[in-house]
Amino acid sequence: MVSVEERIRQLKKEKNAVILAHNYTSPEIQDLADLVGDSLGLSIEAARTAADVIVFCGVSFMGETAKILSPDKTVLVPEPDAHCAMAAMCTGEQIKEFRSLQPDSIVVGYVNSTAESKKEMDICCTSSNVVKVVRSVGDREVLLVPDMNLGAYAASETGMDIILWRGFCPVHNCITAAQVRGLKQEHPGAFVMAHPECRAEVLELADHIGSTESMLKMSISSEKKEFIVLTEVGMRYRLEKENPGKTFHFLEHAVCTAMKMASPGSVLDSLESGKGEIVLSEDVLDGARGPVEKMIGLS
Ligand code: 13P
Ligand code: SF4
């Protein structure tokens, strides 16, 4: 009998499909994927791939971003109910209302948002380019949505006065400074890496702040052997795989259940049946393309 993995390989060939997976997905998914990476790296790949079908293992906004960049391709998110909790925290209507009150402001939107919300932004950003994007807007007043922690981080890095939306990632926002101090006491000398979705008091305790992919690069280039990693636990798999002999400590409660939903079975189902296809209206596609492409251009 043909295994699920083998059947996926056959279907990928037949349909000229590529599998992209975020760094937080399960090990089985990462092993199946053609590319594993952070939000920016995966968006760039989605924009340039020659495949006809993109299977996006991650959360729905990632599939939507791929569709915005490649509207003629079929984009499948094998678990269509895998939604980023933060993406629901700022709607397009709310951005429109803000704009009507402060029409001179620039709206910088974290890519962790719905396509309908991206359509109302001026420019998107990810965790790896937020500082560059915010600097690029000059001395205009900036509203950063939806993540207040990412916005506060960008403000502290640029010295700019940024209006913060009160959204947050439930996974990263639950990491507290007390928990990090506890880990540091248990593992003195460990190098601390944190995702900018963490609270400011947590970021203050970090030696490196950046996207998931930047953490991987840092762990490879560092001479340190022991790391405390303040992000979602799925990141452990790649860090360990690409750093034999190095040790990574996580806060085990930092789990994003949406990122864990995709399985080899759901990838196969999606490839066979088309389940989870991203469908966006022309209006949303046209409106959201500009903000996303501006960000890719800056990267
Ligand atoms: P990265 O862009 O760093 O991969 O982060 C995405 C994300 O959802 C973090 O919670
Ligand atoms: Fe969204 Fe947080 Fe999950 Fe990332 S970890 S996808 S920001 S809920």
Side-chain angles (χ1 to χ4, degrees):
M1 209 179 112
V2 184
S3 69
V4 171
E5 286 74 15
E6 188 48 37
R7 185 74 191 115
I8 290 173
R9 272 190 283 277
Q10 288 169 354
L11 280 170
K12 263 176 54 184
K13 230 183 199 171
E14 274 168 36
K15 299 188 180 234
N16 188 25
V18 68
I19 301 180
L20 307 182
H22 188 266
N23 284 321
Y24 296 160
T25 55
S26 66
E28 307 85 75
I29 288 293
Q30 296 194 27
D31 285 345
L32 266 182
D34 297 290
L35 182 76
V36 182
D38 68 358
S39 307
L40 182 65
L42 295 174
S43 304
I44 292 173
E45 184 58 23
R48 72 176 171 207
T49 179
D52 296 314
V53 177
I54 299 172
V55 182
F56 214 123
C57 299
V59 284
S60 54
F61 80 78
M62 297 181 169
E64 287 185 354
T65 309
K67 185 71 185 176
I68 291 163
L69 289 165
S70 297
D72 299 332
K73 295 190 194 306
T74 300
V75 179
L76 304 171
V77 173
E79 291 286 350
D81 291 331
H83 302 301
C84 165
M86 176 163 50
M89 293 183 190
C90 179
T91 65
E93 280 309 310
Q94 288 172 310
I95 299 176
K96 273 205 249 180
E97 189 188 352
F98 173 88
R99 272 192 193 289
S100 69
L101 299 170
Q102 288 184 235
D104 295 333
S105 303
I106 289 277
V107 180
V108 175
Y110 193 24
V111 73
N112 293 37
S113 50
T114 63
E116 172 259 346
S117 169
K118 286 187 176 78
K119 172 175 171 266
E120 307 304 331
M121 299 167 180
D122 292 297
I123 183 165
C124 281
C125 69
T126 72
S127 57
S128 53
N129 59 21
V130 61
V131 172
K132 202 179 204 178
V133 169
V134 166
R135 282 206 179 107
S136 76
V137 306
D139 52 13
R140 302 269 301 274
E141 182 178 57
V142 173
L143 167 70
L144 196 142
V145 296
D147 188 3
M148 60 180 176
N149 291 330
L150 186 80
Y153 164 71
S156 77
E157 286 295 300
T158 58
M160 288 164 70
D161 197 12
I162 297 177
I163 303 169
L164 306 177
W165 197 261
R166 294 286 150 187
F168 57 90
C169 162
V171 178
H172 290 85
N173 201 53
C174 280
I175 296 177
T176 66
Q179 293 163 6
V180 179
R181 279 192 214 101
L183 270 184
K184 283 174 83 134
Q185 246 167 21
E186 273 176 55
H187 310 287
F191 188 84
V192 182
M193 304 192 289
H195 196 279
E197 286 175 17
C198 293
R199 296 158 179 253
E201 63 267 29
V202 167
L203 298 183
E204 270 172 29
L205 299 171
D207 302 303
H208 169 77
I209 300 167
S211 76
T212 54
E213 203 61 23
S214 84
M215 291 181 190
L216 181 77
K217 286 195 185 120
M218 179 55 79
S219 68
I220 293 170
S221 65
S222 168
E223 284 174 1
K224 290 273 188 176
K225 293 276 180 268
E226 203 175 10
F227 298 81
I228 291 171
V229 190
L230 305 174
T231 194
E232 209 273 345
V233 294
M235 192 61 211
R236 173 185 279 127
Y237 185 62
R238 248 190 111 198
L239 286 169
E240 288 184 348
K241 196 169 168 181
E242 304 204 21
N243 285 293
K246 296 190 181 182
T247 311
F248 299 93
H249 307 285
F250 283 76
L251 284 161
E252 299 301 329
H253 65 72
V255 179
C256 177
T257 47
M259 283 285 189
K260 301 289 178 274
M261 287 172 73
S263 64
S266 60
V267 170
L268 178 58
D269 186 16
S270 184
L271 271 169
E272 273 175 340
S273 68
K275 181 184 161 209
E277 179 170 357
I278 299 285
V279 180
L280 296 171
S281 69
E282 283 304 317
D283 178 46
V284 169
L285 280 172
D286 288 347
R289 189 171 304 122
V292 178
E293 282 183 346
K294 258 189 235 166
M295 167 190 83
I296 302 268
L298 269 182
S299 311

